[in-house]
Amino acid sequence: MPIGFAKSILAQGTTATGANSFVGWDGSNDHTFTRNAAVNHFIGFAPFNNEYGVMVSSLDSGGFSADKIQYDVMRNNSGTLSITSQGNQIITMGTSAYTAQKFGLVAPLQNGKVLYDPKDTGDNNYHIFSISGSTVSHATGGTANRTMHNTPIFVSRDSDSTGYNNISTQKLGEKITTSDHFETTPTVSTESSSNTSLFYGSLHGVPGFVDNDTPFFLNDRFGQGQKLEPYKIDLSTAGAQAGILFSGSPTNSQTMAQFDTANSTNFGSNSYELDLYATPPYNDVAFNDVAIFIRREGGGSANKFVFDTYKAGDSSVARSNILTVSNFSTGTDISGTCCFVGSTNDVFLFAGYDVSNTRIIVLKYVHSTNTLSEVLNFSENLSSSNEEVRLHRWGNSGAILTYGTTKMRLIQA
């Protein structure tokens, strides 16, 4: 790894209070929007720019008719959300009962276009969206060979105008080489897997990057549930890896068990799975040098959250304040959604749904102050489960929260 490149990533990911306009986000400037026809599931969103983007969804055709994949053109017109072109069908599936919990990927590309990589639709091609003015066009790309579809940390490689990384779990990663941004079949040149015995499932947590080839994570590498420890995997080396510790092996000052005892809490092994979504929480390697681990209190009446984070180069793992959320139970909710908002990685949002209390929450974590707070908490009786709540990053300008089959919320500073 070139030394200068590592320094440039840390500089771009540097967090500072006030540098990110979402530090003070309180939801008061958001705009809500209701689609005039229900979808089966919102799948994922990616922007072309600050004004236009594409929302991909599945459509239940009814009965035994084949389900469809479709897209809407979304517009943010000075803070007002709308659909300018709706229900454009691009895939007819070979099933009438599409399970939308394996979403695939919807992400921006380095050439200004948007990629959709379908999952379990019967379609084996990438799909490419482009924009001219306000008109969006769709084309079929190359044969899809990105093999990992869980937890899509799909990011552009720095100083590599046609290269991408795809991090599926805390054990697996791919380096993707393209000549034309997926319009023809790319080369998945390296796959890396760690043989570490993780205590928490490998679909938990958001990784950071040290450089193009080095994602890092927080987990218990020894499977004992005693401490969270940052470790790296090397995408330039194929085959099984045990996970590479940072210099100095920074760890928490308290073990997990001691933390619960000292704070009369029951976090234990409870965390969130972050695999049932299609929109990456950030879009390029150089954006984020912080690994985030979201922990929830267990038990039927539990209502507490705590975030553990590690910034590349720090001497220790940081732990946020304990947040108690009102009218919300974390005891049964195991799936969540998240994204960074704003121009730096200082502000991170997490959304979850409590099936028993039929409430949606959105939490805000500010890294520069290490503070976790509750911003949104509202009643919404969803027909299915927590997988119906999705956060989608909209570049540096904000995010979209989709929930249920028709509702959207434009999150803006």
Side-chain angles (χ1 to χ4, degrees), residues 99-363:
T99 300
Q101 292 183 356
K102 297 298 183 185
F103 290 115
L105 174 73
V106 184
L109 295 173
Q110 295 196 62
N111 61 354
K113 298 181 181 182
V114 167
L115 172 70
Y116 169 50
D117 180 3
K119 171 66 173 172
D120 295 339
T121 65
D123 186 290
N124 295 321
N125 292 98
Y126 296 111
H127 291 260
I128 311 294
F129 302 98
S130 57
I131 191 168
S132 177
S134 60
T135 302
V136 172
S137 301
H138 162 262
T140 300
T143 302
N145 65 343
R146 185 183 69 94
T147 62
M148 303 172 186
H149 290 86
N150 292 324
T151 315
I153 307 297
F154 177 88
V155 290
S156 302
R157 290 171 65 85
D158 192 67
S159 302
D160 180 355
S161 61
T162 58
Y164 301 87
N165 286 339
N166 181 54
I167 311 300
S168 172
T169 73
Q170 293 199 9
K171 295 185 178 184
L172 298 170
E174 294 173 333
K175 185 166 65 176
I176 302 173
T177 302
T178 76
S179 59
D180 52 15
H181 305 280
F182 300 92
E183 292 182 15
T184 59
T185 302
T187 300
V188 180
S189 58
T190 302
E191 179 174 322
S192 169
S193 63
S194 168
N195 58 7
T196 302
S197 177
L198 299 176
F199 178 72
Y200 290 98
S202 60
L203 299 174
H204 297 239
V206 176
F209 279 87
V210 176
D211 57 37
N212 269 343
D213 293 327
T214 316
F216 66 96
F217 312 84
L218 275 173
N219 211 314
D220 179 352
R221 295 170 60 250
F222 302 103
Q224 302 299 315
Q226 295 300 309
K227 62 182 178 181
L228 287 171
E229 189 172 41
Y231 67 93
K232 302 173 280 187
I233 61 174
D234 182 3
L235 297 182
S236 65
T237 302
Q241 301 175 33
I244 307 162
L245 291 178
F246 281 80
S247 175
S249 301
T251 59
N252 289 76
S253 58
Q254 302 179 83
T255 65
M256 298 176 191
Q258 289 172 342
F259 180 78
D260 280 354
T261 299
N263 292 280
S264 301
T265 56
N266 183 31
F267 287 99
S269 61
N270 301 291
S271 63
Y272 276 91
E273 296 176 359
L274 302 173
D275 59 324
L276 301 179
Y277 60 90
T279 306
Y282 60 98
N283 303 120
D284 56 270
V285 164
F287 181 83
N288 183 39
D289 60 350
V290 176
I292 299 176
F293 198 86
I294 301 164
R295 298 175 64 202
R296 60 183 180 88
E297 192 176 31
S301 61
N303 60 350
K304 295 180 175 62
F305 290 85
V306 68
F307 280 27
D308 289 282
T309 62
Y310 177 73
K311 180 180 172 67
D314 280 359
S315 59
S316 63
V317 174
R319 178 168 283 155
S320 75
N321 56 293
I322 298 172
L323 176 67
T324 301
V325 180
S326 57
N327 301 314
F328 191 91
S329 172
T330 62
T332 57
D333 186 6
I334 62 171
S335 183
T337 178
C338 56
C339 72
F340 290 94
V341 285
S343 59
T344 71
N345 65 341
D346 194 25
V347 183
F348 178 83
L349 304 184
F350 169 83
Y353 179 61
D354 178 2
V355 178
S356 58
N357 289 312
T358 62
R359 298 193 71 82
I360 295 173
I361 59 164
V362 179
L363 310 183

Side-chain angles (χ1 to χ4, degrees), residues 35 39 41-43 55-59 68-71:
R35 196 178 188 275
V39 302
H41 236 88
F42 290 111
I43 293 177
M55 180 71 73
V56 179
S57 61
S58 60
L59 177 65
K68 306 291 195 302
I69 297 293
Q70 61 185 3
Y71 72 90

Side-chain angles (χ1 to χ4, degrees), residues 384-405:
S384 179
S385 65
N386 41 19
E387 283 77 37
E388 289 192 53
V389 179
R390 294 284 148 247
L391 275 169
H392 316 269
R393 177 174 167 82
W394 194 323
N396 294 338
S397 63
I400 295 180
L401 175 71
T402 55
Y403 50 103
T405 59

